[in-house]
Amino acid sequence: MKRLAAAALAALVLAPAALASEQHPTQRELERELVCIECHTTLDESDSAIARQMKAYIARRIRQGATKSQIEDELVDQFGPGVLGVPRKHGFDLLAWVLPLGGIALGAVALGVGARRWSRVSTEPRTGRGSVKELPLDPEDERRVDEELERFE
């Protein structure tokens, strides 16, 4: 219950900042999140001709009052989804977020199950592969084992 309350409080605290970022994006913010289609680096790191054009377009659209989503959508329409630094969080692109997290969760569960099995202490004698099971010896074999052991003493 406390975790749920903490998560709700965090969402309430961070929501205005996220909304402000969406409604009034900054040039720097968008340049860190968008990729130059020519050199495949973020716009803030690129100085190619197309990157300079994209930066100018972003600045012009910010001055015109466009939202972050509008600018990103327009650039995706113009250059394709490769312009986004991170995949979108809906549709088919959602798999790029879900699969790694699902793999991590699956690995953690497998590791936990394996650790639990390996750490169990068995009170029953093992009878499987690699175990030693006592079998009674016939008197002749027992005499030979005793003779061999006496030789080493």
Side-chain angles (χ1 to χ4, degrees), residues 141-153:
D141 288 337
E142 194 164 336
R143 183 191 60 73
R144 287 179 48 207
V145 169
D146 288 339
E147 285 176 3
E148 290 296 322
L149 287 174
E150 284 178 13
R151 275 189 25 206
F152 289 108
E153 288 180 358

Side-chain angles (χ1 to χ4, degrees), residues 44-66:
D44 63 344
E45 295 176 353
S46 178
D47 195 35
S48 69
I50 190 70
R52 287 192 300 269
Q53 290 174 357
M54 291 172 73
K55 290 175 186 180
Y57 178 80
I58 291 168
R60 184 171 59 254
R61 293 297 288 138
I62 288 173
R63 281 193 307 273
Q64 293 171 349

Side-chain angles (χ1 to χ4, degrees), residues 70-150:
Q70 288 174 328
I71 296 169
E72 288 176 347
D73 290 343
E74 291 165 2
L75 289 170
V76 167
D77 289 343
Q78 193 171 9
F79 299 109
V83 76
L84 297 173
V86 294
R88 297 193 182 234
K89 296 177 181 93
H90 58 79
F92 185 74
D93 292 336
L94 184 62
L95 286 177
W97 294 98
V98 173
L99 288 180
L101 296 176
I104 290 170
L106 186 63
V109 168
L111 189 61
V113 168
R116 183 178 170 119
R117 281 189 180 169
W118 292 322
S119 67
R120 282 192 199 153
V121 177
S122 177
T123 56
E124 301 174 11
R126 291 176 42 188
T127 58
R129 191 174 122 195
S131 65
V132 177
K133 188 174 182 182
E134 283 189 35
L135 297 174
L137 293 175
D138 65 40
E140 176 62 26
D141 288 337
E142 194 164 336
R143 183 191 60 73
R144 287 179 48 207
V145 169
D146 288 339
E147 285 176 3
E148 290 296 322
L149 287 174
E150 284 178 13

Side-chain angles (χ1 to χ4, degrees), residues 10-42:
L12 288 173
V13 169
L14 297 175
L19 184 59
S21 172
E22 171 61 28
Q23 296 299 320
H24 306 287
T26 64
Q27 179 88 17
R28 184 175 182 181
E29 173 187 12
L30 283 165
E31 286 181 8
R32 282 185 285 168
E33 295 176 8
L34 296 171
V35 175
C36 172
I37 59 168
E38 187 175 291
C39 60
H40 306 291
T41 61
T42 56

